[in-house]
């Protein structure tokens, strides 16, 4: 077992978990405001393809990631319009967004297949070692010697946690997700809150997709996310709607995704299918635990996936 | 106003979906004679840069060769279930006289539809059913894999080659064995370490599998996967790689050496021509390098010195029939002789291969 749980493995787990982390915190902020958006996979793909296209043409990493975030946000705008303004069924709308995003990415990516980002572009994502922290034996190498997007992932998740739990706006947004009628009575602008945070969530999903297509495998291939959007949806539950726990969960699921290859090298007789199942099994177990404990803090937002009608107050 | 928006949005969404998923090739205009319609059923998108891409290149070659005598239609992302029958019937409605179904799982559905339409010719890729008006076809990709093994065996310095493999089915096992035999024909000390991904198509995951192999000391990466993930890993780590399905030089310019590739075009032309001439008969076709259905992509500058000559020599022997990949003596992992000297594995034994040759590190059924 010791030959598997090495520094190299944990480091690879962080990288494998990074696209999941972006998508998961994106979905958390969306669900916190009371909207279940199952279009994560679609928004990730939209971000991935637009980011790739822009990165390939401009050779500018910053522009590429901004474009990817915008693409994710535009995807979620379609969702927000249907689910918030028109109060359409959120599950159906989200699924439609996934189908749309997948098709959009295939369509946009037709001319990109097999193209590779330039060396110069990829050089922007070289590993940067953080001073002092990066020198801690073991931990330094695992957590603090990565490309810039990994750090951005840490910062985003922590900032979002602070934003949700420690700020006034965060309190309001949680109120919108828990009890929109009460929030409305307290003159919180429900629609504005929902739109803003759904768009923010979409942008983060777009970034997650772009991490895959720009940093992890910088060669365009269709359906590059290969189902990671769905893992992110499960991760939201696993993290019980906390951005902090999402950090842990994403890297854990990232590690489970790749541990199989390393175990095969040791001749340990555990089927890799077990590890493929593990994320979903663990999510189900967490769901059961959460529902048994009836713990308010870790429960899903009360008004999750319910459209809000002011007249029904 | 809101209603109008909804309607517009829904229409746009559905248009986008049609644009994204359900493409069909435009019909060539104004043929003099009635063109024959050929339908292709694809498991993935032509944009996978791999398996379906290779078939689609074959389709384009067909159009190019036969010009306006032929009209091709295709449907991508067709699941391997009842849906595929619907797709085939739909193609026949559109006038298709020949159907190529390009994935193993379509097999029974091809047989079902073929019985309904006796005047349509069906060809199923990688299966084994044969009937009145349906046959099957595949290629001996093992031959170019053996050649790519020669290149990898000459290149490796650590004498450990990593092989990222999809599933432990005979098709993949056969490929690993052929590759390993190629490696050890030039470098008897080298070993081939296998890691299973349990996926055909997940670029990031397959890249991570290659990274795990590189961490374990491999310096050359080969693959039986439909994406370029493993190539990217080799490129990033300054290692070298052997691709699969199509030329992957553009995706990993510093790592990629060569790849066993499919070349379906000539076969498609031959079959369609035979149908047009009325000479077509259903057959079980398993072509090799001499038929041109499989080949080794040109070696790049990353390939080791002398490998071109070694490959050329072995290739000439394969073409002449002097060299057969699974000719004895072949030992398995435990050192037991599985194919005695002087005999060759039969096609049936190759199709059912579920054991590794000596030199492979890895387990089947993991």
């Amino acid at each position: 077992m010791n030959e598997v749980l090495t520094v190299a493995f944990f480091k690879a787990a962080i990288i494998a978990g990074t696209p999941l982390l972006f998508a998961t915190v994106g979905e958390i902020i969306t669900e916190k405001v009371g909207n279940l958006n199952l279009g994560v996979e679609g928004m990730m793909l939209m971000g991935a393809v637009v980011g790739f296209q822009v990165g390939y043409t401009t050779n500018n990493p910053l522009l590429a990631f901004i474009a990817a975030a915008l693409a994710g946000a535009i995807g979620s705008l379609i969702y927000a319009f249907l689910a918030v303004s028109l109060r359409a069924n959120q599950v159906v709308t989200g699924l439609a967004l996934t189908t749309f995003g997948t098709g959009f990415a295939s369509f946009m990516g037709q001319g990109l297949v097999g193209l590779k980002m330039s060396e110069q572009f990829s050089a922007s994502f070289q590993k940067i070692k953080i001073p002092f922290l990066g020198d801690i034996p073991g931990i330094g190498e695992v957590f603090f010697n990565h490309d810039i997007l990994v750090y951005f992932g840490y910062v985003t998740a922590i900032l979002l946690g602070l934003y949700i739990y420690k700020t006034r706006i965060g309190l309001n947004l949680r109120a919108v997700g828990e009890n929109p009628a009460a929030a409305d009575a307290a003159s919180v602008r429900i629609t504005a809150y929902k739109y803003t945070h759904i768009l923010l969530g979409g942008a983060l999903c777009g970034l997650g997709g772009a991490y895959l297509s720009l940093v992890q495998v910088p060669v365009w291939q269709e359906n590059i996310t290969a189902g990671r959007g769905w893992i992110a949806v499960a991760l939201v539950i696993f993290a019980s709607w906390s951005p902090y726990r999402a950090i842990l969960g994403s890297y854990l699921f990232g590690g489970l995704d790749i541990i199989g290859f390393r175990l095969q090298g040791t001749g340990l007789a555990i089927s890799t299918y077990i590890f493929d199942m593990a994320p979903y099994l663990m999510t189900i177990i967490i769901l059961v635990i959460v529902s048994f404990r009836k713990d308010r803090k870790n429960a899903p937002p009360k008004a999750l996936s319910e459209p809000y009608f002011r007249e029904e107050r | 106003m809101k209603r109008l928006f909804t309607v517009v949005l829904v229409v746009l969404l559905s248009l986008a979906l049609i644009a994204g998923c359900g493409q069909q090739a435009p019909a060539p205009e104004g043929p003099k004679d009635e063109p024959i319609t050929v339908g292709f059923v694809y498991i993935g998108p032509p944009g996978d840069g791999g398996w379906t891409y290779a078939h689609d290149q074959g389709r384009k070659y067909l159009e190019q060769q036969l010009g306006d005598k032929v009209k091709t239609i295709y449907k991508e992302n067709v699941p391997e279930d009842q849906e595929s029958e619907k797709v085939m019937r739909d193609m026949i409605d559109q006038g298709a006289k020949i159907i190529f179904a390009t994935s193993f799982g379509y097999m029974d559905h091809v047989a079902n539809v073929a019985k309904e339409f006796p005047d349509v010719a069906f060809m199923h890729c990688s299966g084994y059913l044969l009937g009145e008006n349906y046959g099957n076809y595949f290629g001996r990709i093992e031959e170019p894999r053996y050649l790519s093994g020669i290149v990898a065996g000459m290149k490796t310095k650590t004498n450990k080659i990593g092989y990222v493999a999809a599933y432990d089915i005979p098709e993949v096992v056969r490929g690993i064995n052929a590759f390993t035999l190629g490696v050890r024909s030039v470098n008897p000390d080298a070993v081939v370490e296998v890691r299973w991904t349990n996926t055909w198509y997940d670029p990031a995951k397959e890249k991570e599998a290659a990274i795990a192999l590189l961490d374990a000391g491999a310096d050359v990466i080969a693959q039986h996967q439909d994406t370029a993930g493993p190539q990217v890993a080799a490129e990033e780590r300054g290692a070298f790689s052997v691709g699969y399905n199509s030329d992957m030089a553009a995706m990993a310019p510093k790592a990629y050496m060569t790849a066993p590739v499919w070349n379906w075009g000539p076969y498609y032309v031959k079959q369609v021509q035979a149908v047009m001439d009325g000479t077509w008969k259903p057959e079980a076709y398993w072509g090799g390098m001499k038929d041109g259905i499989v080949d080794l992509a040109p070696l790049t500058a990353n390939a080791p010195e002398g490998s071109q000559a070694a490959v050329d020599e072995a290739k000439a022997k394969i073409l002449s029939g002097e060299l057969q990949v699974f000719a004895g003596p072949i030992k398995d992992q435990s050192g037991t002789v599985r194919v005695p000297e002087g005999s060759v594995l039969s096609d049936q034994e190759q199709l059912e291969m579920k054991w590794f040759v000596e030199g492979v590190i890895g387990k089947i059924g993991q």
Side-chain angles (χ1 to χ4, degrees), chain B residues 338-358:
Chain B
R338 289 292 280 260
V339 187
E341 181 137 26
S343 73
V344 182
L345 272 194
S346 71
D347 281 1
Q348 194 54 38
E349 285 168 316
Q350 289 187 39
L351 285 169
E352 289 165 359
M353 202 170 220
K354 267 285 195 180
W355 51 274
F356 278 140
V357 299
E358 193 175 38

Side-chain angles (χ1 to χ4, degrees), chain B residues 2-318:
Chain B
K2 267 183 186 169
R3 277 286 139 84
L4 184 68
F5 262 132
T6 328
V7 170
V8 171
L9 204 66
V10 166
V11 169
L12 279 179
L13 273 173
S14 24
L15 277 181
L17 280 181
I18 292 165
C21 311
Q23 283 178 32
Q24 270 163 5
E29 292 291 318
K32 281 149 212 98
D33 300 311
E34 190 72 4
I36 189 163
T37 304
V38 184
F40 288 85
V41 187
Y42 293 155
I43 180 77
D48 64 357
W51 177 255
T52 298
Y53 174 81
H55 281 287
D56 201 51
Q57 291 300 108
R59 181 187 64 81
K60 286 181 178 155
Y61 180 82
L62 174 67
E63 279 197 331
Q64 192 196 327
Q65 290 294 309
L66 297 182
D68 47 6
K69 283 192 283 183
V70 64
K71 173 184 159 194
T72 67
I73 51 178
Y74 68 89
K75 184 94 171 82
E76 58 191 64
N77 291 324
V78 178
E80 296 173 310
D81 55 24
Q82 291 294 327
E83 176 73 20
S84 65
E85 296 191 20
K86 224 179 86 202
V87 169
M88 286 184 265
R89 286 195 189 97
D90 187 47
M91 286 179 166
I92 293 163
D93 275 350
Q94 292 178 53
K97 288 283 168 234
I98 307 165
I99 290 192
F100 291 102
T102 64
S103 186
F104 182 78
Y106 300 142
M107 187 161 65
D108 296 331
H109 305 293
V110 167
N112 289 344
V113 181
K115 282 166 196 151
E116 263 174 63
F117 300 93
D119 57 336
V120 177
F122 292 80
M123 273 150 276
H124 172 242
C125 184
S126 79
Y128 51 79
L129 288 186
L130 196 57
E132 289 283 299
N133 60 331
Y134 55 98
N136 58 72
Y137 65 102
F138 205 41
R140 296 180 193 272
I141 196 80
E142 296 71 47
E143 294 174 0
R145 265 199 202 287
Y146 179 92
L147 297 180
S148 70
I150 294 178
V151 178
M154 289 173 81
K155 187 76 189 178
T156 181
K157 293 244 159 32
T158 59
N159 279 345
K160 194 181 220 184
I161 296 164
Y163 199 108
V164 183
Y167 292 94
D168 54 359
I169 56 173
E171 179 193 341
V172 179
V173 171
R174 208 159 61 228
I176 293 168
N177 285 340
F179 180 80
T180 308
L181 291 171
V183 166
R184 288 170 75 101
S185 72
V186 292
N187 185 350
D189 299 326
V191 292
V192 175
E193 182 158 351
V194 175
R195 299 285 164 97
W196 306 106
T197 59
N198 297 331
T199 165
W200 286 112
Y201 197 94
D202 185 339
K205 191 166 183 174
E206 291 154 21
K207 179 191 170 190
E208 291 305 328
I211 297 257
L213 283 162
L214 292 165
D215 282 343
D219 63 347
V220 176
I221 294 291
Q223 67 176 76
H224 195 143
Q225 301 278 180
D226 291 349
T227 83
Q231 307 292 311
V232 172
E235 175 93 353
E236 264 183 29
R237 291 290 186 94
F240 295 93
S241 61
V242 172
Y244 177 46
N245 279 325
S246 57
D247 195 316
M248 290 176 160
M251 305 173 193
K254 284 186 294 185
Y256 168 88
M257 299 189 293
T258 184
V261 294
W262 294 99
N263 182 20
W264 303 105
Y267 176 75
Y268 287 155
V269 171
K270 217 167 73 191
Q271 294 296 303
V272 171
Q273 192 67 53
V275 171
M276 289 198 293
D277 300 344
T279 57
W280 184 79
K281 267 199 222 60
E283 58 173 354
Y285 177 83
W286 206 16
M289 283 185 89
K290 66 174 179 343
D291 308 292
I293 199 161
V294 290
D295 204 352
L296 190 71
L299 303 192
T300 67
N302 299 321
E305 218 174 299
S307 58
Q308 183 71 56
V311 165
D312 287 344
E313 197 194 329
K315 186 174 171 177
K317 282 187 190 162
I318 288 177

Side-chain angles (χ1 to χ4, degrees), chain A residues 193-210:
Chain A
Y193 265 83
K194 283 194 177 240
Y195 262 92
T196 321
H197 294 100
I198 290 171
L199 287 184
L200 177 63
L204 287 168
C205 291
L207 282 183

Side-chain angles (χ1 to χ4, degrees), chain A residues 179-192:
Chain A
N179 190 339
D184 199 4
S187 68
V188 172
R189 290 165 60 207
I190 307 288
T191 310

Side-chain angles (χ1 to χ4, degrees), chain A residues 8-9 12 15-16 78 81-82 85-87 96 99-100 103-104 106-107 110 113-116 119 212 215-226 228 257-258 260-273 276, chain B residues 2 5-6 9-10 12-13 16-17 19-21 23 45-49 53 76-77 167-168 193-198 201-209 211-212 215 226-229 232 235-236 250-254 363 366:
Chain A
F9 164 68
I15 294 170
I78 303 174
F81 178 70
L82 288 168
S85 296
L86 303 180
R87 298 177 180 84
T99 320
F100 169 73
F104 175 83
S106 307
F107 181 64
Q110 269 178 336
V113 171
L115 293 182
K116 183 184 184 304
E119 299 261 313
L212 278 166
V215 185
Q216 222 176 337
V217 191
V219 172
W220 179 254
Q221 291 166 90
E222 262 186 50
N223 198 11
I224 196 162
T225 52
R228 283 178 179 68
D257 196 28
I258 60 169
F261 314 134
R262 287 170 194 265
L263 274 178
Q264 286 172 29
T266 65
L268 216 68
I270 304 177
S271 166
T272 43
Y273 290 106
D276 291 344
Chain B
K2 267 183 186 169
F5 262 132
T6 328
L9 204 66
V10 166
L12 279 179
L13 273 173
L17 280 181
C21 311
Q23 283 178 32
D48 64 357
Y53 174 81
E76 58 191 64
N77 291 324
Y167 292 94
D168 54 359
E193 182 158 351
V194 175
R195 299 285 164 97
W196 306 106
T197 59
N198 297 331
Y201 197 94
D202 185 339
K205 191 166 183 174
E206 291 154 21
K207 179 191 170 190
E208 291 305 328
I211 297 257
D215 282 343
D226 291 349
T227 83
V232 172
E235 175 93 353
E236 264 183 29
M251 305 173 193
K254 284 186 294 185
K363 264 196 284 192
Q366 199 169 29

